[in-house]
Amino acid sequence: MEGKVSRASRKLEASPIQELSQLAQTCGAINLAEGFPDFPAPPHLKAAALSAITADFNQYRHVQGICHLLATQMKGRHGIAVNALSDFVICCGQSEAFAASIFAIVDPGDEVLLFDPAYETYESCILLAGGIPVYVPLSPPDWSFKKDELMKYFTSRTKALVLNSPHNPTGKVFTRDELETISEACKIMECFAITDEVYEYITYDRELHISLASLPGMQERTIITSSLSKTFSVTGWRIGWACAPANIASAIRNIHVKITDSAPAPFQEAALTALQSPPDYYCSLRTEYEARRDYVVQILSVLGFQVRFKPKGSVFIFAELPDHCELSDIEFVKKLIEKAGVAAVPGCGFFHTTPQPQDGEKYQRRYIRFAFCKSGETLSAARQKMEQCVNEDGQLSF
């Protein structure tokens, strides 16, 4: 029966990352690969979830209060006025919110622009909808795009542009100037923008996250997706949302209901507590993650990695392999797992475009993504394990 699986499923291939994840589990490697915390969620959120379960909020449920709190935040942070009753869809994490958004607007043959490197889930959703991913390359080391060339990627078939800022895997935070370039292109081409803003509260060095929807003329064409996962260290709760103009939100909601019906009820109740966290919570979040970022950047630099771009947001460092290293990213990560007992993600899984000659033909095989959303004990243990594999020059060598 193997030949009877759908064409859509055959478009989705297992990545080398999955194979390496299995190897990491087999070796018991320290996990700096996946972007979830290994430290406890905030106690008051766990207490709120337990209280909701005890109070029997355990059936299908839509907690409208989440939408009101989000609407207040969007108005206060970004000056975006939204209707809490009509413009939100509570989903099973940002992943479902994004997928439902794609299915709501993309028809077979429609093109969707993405900045490359890109989180792999975006492409999968577009392909499942019958759409065509079109990649706009971001150039190292600062992962910028050529503003005067952006328009050439748009065609009459372009339905949407996807923007992830702060960006996974690079940690880039798109500047207002870049956002204005993107917004002008979307308005000229009359296309949607879908934003992934899950790292909106995790920015560094006084960098501020700007929502694309806050720019003139963009709210009417932007679908914002985000979640509790990263901000509150609850990636397994699966509480996310899409925010869009009412007619688009209605289409997203119809798809969401047919797929999952509702997000987990007790965790929706706990989201009410999370979204009323005081400003000090967000300040502490940034401060603690910035310290972790600096610690891991220092570790990697000493070990010979080239950290040419210090992340401005997210929980990842996209580091280039040491100059002396002749291994590809996949080969290096395999050795890192087997010899040092530390797992990371080879960068090639995020790249989809062919590098320009002036950028070097192999740079897409030269990057490794490290997640630093881990406890101090975990990061220290990873450092010690990697230091055991250094050569006479103090650099990693396999």
Side-chain angles (χ1 to χ4, degrees):
M1 301 297 286
E2 183 178 342
K4 292 186 177 293
V5 298
S6 69
R7 284 192 296 271
S9 70
R10 291 198 295 269
K11 293 178 181 177
L12 308 182
E13 299 178 353
S15 70
I17 296 173
Q18 292 172 295
E19 180 182 343
L20 290 169
S21 294
Q22 293 175 350
L23 176 63
Q25 290 180 3
T26 302
C27 296
I30 293 175
N31 187 356
L32 301 189
E34 296 174 279
F36 61 81
D38 67 347
F39 48 82
H44 67 295
L45 299 192
K46 293 190 288 187
L50 288 171
S51 177
I53 293 170
T54 303
D56 279 327
F57 291 117
N58 298 310
Q59 312 307 326
Y60 301 132
R61 187 168 178 80
H62 169 75
V63 179
Q64 182 59 36
I66 295 174
C67 305
H68 289 287
L69 291 170
L70 290 171
T72 299
Q73 287 186 356
M74 287 188 178
K75 180 65 175 175
R77 294 191 74 218
H78 302 295
I80 303 172
V82 294
N83 187 325
L85 296 175
S86 62
D87 296 357
F88 286 96
V89 186
I90 306 302
C91 297
C92 295
Q94 184 276 337
S95 295
E96 193 213 355
F98 182 86
S101 298
I102 288 291
F103 297 153
I105 65 170
V106 173
D107 288 317
D110 285 346
E111 294 178 351
V112 180
L113 271 59
L114 307 100
F115 289 100
D116 197 51
Y119 180 48
E120 62 183 2
T121 295
Y122 305 147
E123 180 180 79
S124 299
C125 293
I126 295 163
L127 292 174
L128 287 172
I132 301 169
V134 176
Y135 286 96
V136 179
L138 298 174
S139 299
D142 60 350
W143 306 107
S144 58
F145 65 93
K146 297 178 180 178
K147 299 172 189 174
D148 57 344
E149 293 186 8
L150 179 61
M151 285 297 298
K152 78 177 186 181
Y153 294 94
F154 288 82
T155 73
S156 60
R157 297 185 301 277
T158 303
K159 179 62 73 72
L161 176 146
V162 174
L163 176 69
N164 170 215
S165 181
H167 184 253
N168 175 12
T170 67
K172 173 185 175 66
V173 175
F174 283 73
T175 66
R176 178 173 289 278
D177 189 38
E178 290 173 321
L179 295 178
E180 288 174 349
T181 299
I182 293 167
S183 70
E184 288 305 313
C186 289
K187 287 186 288 186
I188 290 170
M189 299 305 296
E190 282 291 316
C191 72
F192 289 103
I194 305 177
T195 65
D196 175 353
E197 303 183 24
V198 295
Y199 301 106
E200 58 189 306
Y201 288 100
I202 305 176
T203 58
Y204 314 116
D205 305 324
R206 299 183 181 273
E207 197 79 30
L208 293 177
H209 166 66
I210 302 170
S211 180
L212 184 63
S214 68
L215 273 62
M218 286 305 293
Q219 184 177 348
E220 66 195 53
R221 65 182 69 254
T222 301
I223 302 170
I224 299 170
T225 67
S226 194
S227 76
L228 292 185
S229 295
K230 309 298 183 177
T231 306
F232 296 100
S233 304
V234 288
T235 62
W237 282 17
R238 314 315 298 142
I239 301 296
W241 51 86
C243 177
N247 61 325
I248 305 302
S250 177
I252 297 169
R253 188 177 300 108
N254 289 339
I255 291 170
H256 156 70
V257 169
K258 295 298 187 294
I259 296 175
T260 61
D261 195 279
S262 75
F267 299 138
Q268 285 192 68
E269 292 293 331
L272 297 175
T273 298
L275 294 171
Q276 295 180 79
S277 297
D280 285 353
Y281 174 83
Y282 300 100
C283 290
S284 296
L285 179 76
R286 284 191 294 271
T287 300
E288 291 171 9
Y289 268 138
E290 189 166 332
R292 289 185 174 98
R293 177 203 64 172
D294 292 345
Y295 179 67
V296 176
V297 165
Q298 191 268 339
I299 292 171
L300 296 176
S301 298
V302 168
L303 291 172
F305 286 94
Q306 302 172 81
V307 185
R308 302 185 194 276
F309 179 79
K310 196 173 185 179
K312 299 292 186 180
S314 85
V315 295
F316 304 111
I317 295 168
F318 209 41
E320 191 174 356
L321 289 171
D323 273 333
H324 69 274
C325 181
E326 296 182 358
L327 300 175
S328 71
D329 56 342
I330 292 177
E331 293 167 339
F332 185 91
V333 168
K334 187 175 181 180
K335 293 289 187 183
L336 187 67
I337 294 169
E338 293 174 335
K339 304 296 185 182
V342 176
V345 176
C348 64
F350 301 100
F351 288 107
H352 306 82
T353 55
T354 302
Q356 299 299 312
Q358 64 269 23
D359 294 326
E361 294 183 0
K362 297 181 180 179
Y363 84 83
Q364 295 183 342
R365 294 278 183 174
R366 298 284 300 168
Y367 281 88
I368 309 291
R369 193 193 74 175
F370 292 89
F372 57 85
C373 50
K374 310 296 177 180
S375 68
E377 292 79 8
T378 297
L379 297 178
S380 178
R383 175 182 60 80
Q384 292 174 18
K385 282 180 169 290
M386 289 190 288
E387 285 177 345
Q388 293 172 3
C389 297
V390 299
N391 59 21
E392 294 180 354
D393 297 322
Q395 297 186 340
L396 275 175
S397 179
F398 299 122

